[in-house]
Amino acid sequence: MIQLNNIYKTFHKGTVNEKKALNGLNLQMNKGDFVTVIGGNGAGKSTMLNVIAGVYYVESGSVILDDKNITKKPDYKRAKYLGRVFQDPMKGTAADLSIEENLALAYRRGKTRSLRWGIHKSEREQYRERLKLLGLGLEDRLKTKVGLLSGGQRQALTLLMATLQKPKLLLLDEHTAALDPKTAAKVLHITEQIIEQDQLTALMITHNMKDALRMGNRLVMMHDGRIIFDVQGEEKKRLTVQDLLEKFQIASGDELANDRMLLG
Amino acid sequence: MGTLLALEGAVAQGLLYAIMTLGVYITYKLLDFADLTVDGSFALGGCVSAILITVGLDPFTSLLLATLAGMASGVVTGFFNTVFKIPPILAGILTMLALYSVNLRVMLGKANVPLGQQDTIFTIIQEWIPIQTDLLVILIGLVTVVLVIAFMYWFFGTEVGSAIRATGNNSDMIRALGVNTSWMKIIALLFSNGLVALSGALIAQYQQNASVSNGTGTIVVGLASVIIGEVIFGSRFNFIYKLMSVVVGSLIYRIVVALVLQVGLDTQDLKLFTAVFVALALAVPVFKQRIQRLSNRTGKIKEQPPGDNGGQGGAAQ
Ligand SMILES: Nc1ncnc2c1ncn2[C@@H]1O[C@H](COP(=O)(O)OP(=O)(O)OP(=O)(O)O)[C@@H](O)[C@H]1O
Ligand SMILES: [Mg+2]
């Protein structure tokens, strides 16, 4: 359903700061795949997500979604197909707008915005129902400004917003990294719940190898702008953290363990 | 008695200028875009209206065309910013500069066009409602301001309007939700400068004179009014109160100016006075924070919610 073909992306090309972020990247995902992505700092994970989302254009290669070539489509046009949750909890919501206004904006993802009223009465009931699923008590605070919520609440809300209109592909970029362990676990749980319930196709970057192993049906490891290890199904289920570390060393000749990798 | 008359005039002007201030509110507060086009589009409104009246067009239609001209100048700034990727402040300055020449052209090379001999909307309406001029202007100003606020309340509640507010608040987020933020910026700049030009046209008709230098400092006055309103009302109220607070801010600014002139401030020092006044008003949040920090020093420091953005104009990219 989504296909990245031989993608190259270099930042600051032709300057001393030149940085090859993606280096002949190939990835194919099938409908219903839930892929977890791991890799060291600067491996190109976020860049890959941004290339899919259209935030960055590529130098060469193509992005295909459901047989349509979307390589040249700007981000706001691709938004129709994609739900996104960012690492920074501030980035996914508008702080000055209320919870229901944020949801109403998300409800219209990919639709032409008209001069109709921005939120309908009938929507509120639906939002309340969805918010209840989060179990954070947000269903009684529809009029609250999002800026007053905690990081975890905002992230859970962003997740809900990203999936309010069922996306063809859900993109999660370390969306729990900025949260405390307890909140992170909760948001991860909600993530699994939503993906399962709505049968979403999802791509989730994480620094937590345990989560990467536990969640999803497929795992890819990135290094130097390409995928160096790709495993799914039964084989993935049998995988251990130790296996991952070894795979990484063999494929890259490097140590994967760094301060941000959670080994345990 | 003189003071009372001056105050009446101040209220009248304050209401006409409030239309400009509401326009500034759109860009500065909702879009987070410090738009210096305003100095040019305010003068443009006056120039277009005045010249059209002198060639015989009726004053009401001249207001409409002045508004359209202002809208066009807003689109130019939006184009500079979104297509040429020129930062907001510079994009506005460029249009403002260009408008100086445009305004001279509009006025057929004259720096001043007096309207003493012509009818204005005020003289025409005075024939229907024969009351004293300042009272009449207050009435007209009030009606216009109410209409503008009603329109803004509706517009920024629509799907497009919400998307514009979200663009000013978090453009990454709203792009990820499928909105072309360039268009949102252009639409907001269009509305804003339309209102500014309308205000400029009304002021020109009220003062029975249009001049190319009329707009200098308009943006500062607009910001002053927005900030005064915010300082007095706070930012906790809903949208309609915020819009009203902007109008009150404009009134207070005009009244303060009228009073200091009464007290004996020289007119030529007015711009200096305004600049100092705005600098102090802008510093109020900083002072507030200092005081809060001092009083929090002993207790547990409360985390400041990243709520209402302080209107760091020009931060939107
Ligand atoms: N906007 C940008 N401008 C310049 N360089 C960039 C930009 N984004 C990423 N890079 C560079 O590209 C490389 C890949 O970055 P990317 O953010 O994709 O890594 P990542 O795998 O997400 O790493 P992390 O685990 O630290 O988030 C890095 O060297 C980074 O410095
Ligand atoms: Mg990253």
Side-chain angles (χ1 to χ4, degrees), chain A residues 56-68:
Chain A
Y56 302 139
Y57 289 123
V58 299
E59 279 137 40
S60 67
S62 59
V63 184
I64 314 283
L65 183 73
D66 279 347
D67 297 328
K68 259 183 292 187

Side-chain angles (χ1 to χ4, degrees), chain A residues 167-185:
Chain A
K168 280 186 196 280
L169 176 63
L170 177 64
L171 301 172
L172 308 164
D173 188 354
E174 296 188 51
H175 66 302
T176 59
L179 308 175
D180 66 77
K182 211 174 136 215
T183 318

Side-chain angles (χ1 to χ4, degrees), chain B residues 17 20-25 27-28 33-42 89 93 96 196 214-229 246 249-250 252-254 257 269-282:
Chain B
Y17 274 108
M20 173 275 289
T21 310
L22 286 165
V24 169
Y25 181 84
T27 44
Y28 183 64
F33 189 117
D35 177 27
L36 300 189
T37 316
V38 166
D39 278 22
S41 55
F42 187 83
I89 299 222
I93 289 178
M96 175 180 86
V196 170
N214 225 349
T216 315
T218 306
I219 180 68
V220 180
V221 173
L223 293 180
S225 308
V226 171
I227 294 160
I228 294 168
V246 169
S250 174
I252 292 177
Y253 174 79
R254 285 297 147 192
V257 166
D269 294 330
L270 198 55
K271 290 214 170 19
L272 175 64
F273 170 80
T274 306
V276 172
F277 187 81
V278 171
L280 289 178
L282 278 170

Side-chain angles (χ1 to χ4, degrees), chain B:
Chain B
M1 195 59 213
T3 310
L4 207 65
L5 272 182
L7 282 183
E8 219 174 82
V11 171
Q13 284 196 36
L15 285 169
L16 298 184
Y17 274 108
I19 299 161
M20 173 275 289
T21 310
L22 286 165
V24 169
Y25 181 84
I26 293 177
T27 44
Y28 183 64
K29 275 296 177 188
L30 297 182
L31 195 62
D32 200 12
F33 189 117
D35 177 27
L36 300 189
T37 316
V38 166
D39 278 22
S41 55
F42 187 83
L44 176 69
C47 294
V48 168
S49 177
I51 205 72
L52 289 175
I53 289 174
T54 59
V55 300
L57 196 78
D58 93 89
F60 292 98
T61 316
S62 84
L63 287 182
L64 182 70
L65 292 173
T67 307
L68 291 176
M71 287 177 165
S73 66
V75 171
V76 171
T77 301
F79 186 83
F80 284 162
N81 177 242
T82 58
V83 179
F84 292 174
K85 309 286 178 211
I86 300 171
I89 299 222
L90 192 53
I93 289 178
L94 290 175
T95 313
M96 175 180 86
L97 183 69
L99 280 175
Y100 196 80
S101 298
V102 171
N103 289 340
L104 274 170
R105 286 275 174 204
V106 166
M107 303 245 277
L108 309 172
K110 283 175 289 198
N112 258 298
V113 168
L115 291 172
Q117 309 302 315
Q118 280 83 12
D119 267 341
T120 65
I121 68 156
F122 302 108
T123 61
I124 293 173
I125 295 177
Q126 204 162 28
E127 277 169 30
W128 308 333
I129 312 170
I131 51 173
Q132 184 234 332
T133 306
D134 274 337
L135 280 182
L136 184 81
V137 176
I138 289 174
L139 196 70
I140 295 170
L142 213 53
V143 169
T144 316
V145 162
V146 166
L147 288 177
V148 170
I149 287 184
F151 174 80
M152 282 174 71
Y153 184 76
W154 165 75
F155 180 72
F156 287 105
T158 64
E159 290 175 355
V160 173
S162 308
I164 290 176
R165 286 187 292 136
T167 299
N169 203 214
N170 186 345
S171 62
D172 285 340
M173 168 254 194
I174 196 69
R175 282 179 81 82
L177 294 179
V179 170
N180 183 346
T181 48
S182 298
W183 272 117
M184 297 303 119
K185 286 182 191 174
I186 290 173
I187 294 171
L189 286 162
L190 173 143
F191 272 129
S192 168
N193 283 288
L195 289 176
V196 170
L198 174 63
S199 172
L202 285 168
I203 287 287
Q205 293 195 22
Y206 171 72
Q207 294 175 341
Q208 301 190 310
N209 179 51
S211 121
V212 286
S213 59
N214 225 349
T216 315
T218 306
I219 180 68
V220 180
V221 173
L223 293 180
S225 308
V226 171
I227 294 160
I228 294 168
E230 196 164 68
V231 166
I232 289 176
F233 279 73
S235 52
R236 56 191 172 282
F237 293 104
N238 71 18
F239 191 53
I240 209 124
Y241 277 101
K242 280 185 183 161
L243 295 180
M244 290 200 291
S245 79
V246 169
V247 175
V248 173
S250 174
L251 288 172
I252 292 177
Y253 174 79
R254 285 297 147 192
I255 289 170
V256 169
V257 166
L259 289 179
V260 293
L261 288 179
Q262 283 281 312
V263 169
L265 184 84
D266 202 320
T267 329
Q268 65 187 359
D269 294 330
L270 198 55
K271 290 214 170 19
L272 175 64
F273 170 80
T274 306
V276 172
F277 187 81
V278 171
L280 289 178
L282 278 170
V284 165
V286 181
F287 291 141
K288 267 192 186 162
Q289 246 174 25
R290 285 262 165 85
I291 292 167
Q292 214 166 35
R293 216 175 303 153
L294 281 178
S295 59
N296 276 343
R297 193 159 280 176
T298 44
K300 196 175 154 226
I301 291 166
K302 255 203 313 206
E303 201 186 319
Q304 187 98 341
D308 211 78
N309 81 43
Q312 306 304 317
Q317 65 249 178

Side-chain angles (χ1 to χ4, degrees), chain A residues 75-76 79 90-97 101-102 105-106 108-110 112-118 147-148 154 161, chain B residues 153-155 157-160 162-163 165-166 169-170 172-180 242 305-309:
Chain A
D75 54 353
Y76 63 87
M90 305 300 138
K91 240 183 134 181
T93 45
D96 287 354
L97 275 54
E101 282 178 314
N102 272 278
L105 286 166
R108 289 159 179 75
R109 176 164 54 78
T112 315
R113 318 266 161 169
S114 72
L115 289 179
R116 277 193 298 267
W117 199 243
L148 299 173
R154 282 182 81 159
M161 287 167 61
Chain B
Y153 184 76
W154 165 75
F155 180 72
T158 64
E159 290 175 355
V160 173
S162 308
R165 286 187 292 136
N169 203 214
N170 186 345
D172 285 340
M173 168 254 194
I174 196 69
R175 282 179 81 82
L177 294 179
V179 170
N180 183 346
K242 280 185 183 161
D308 211 78
N309 81 43

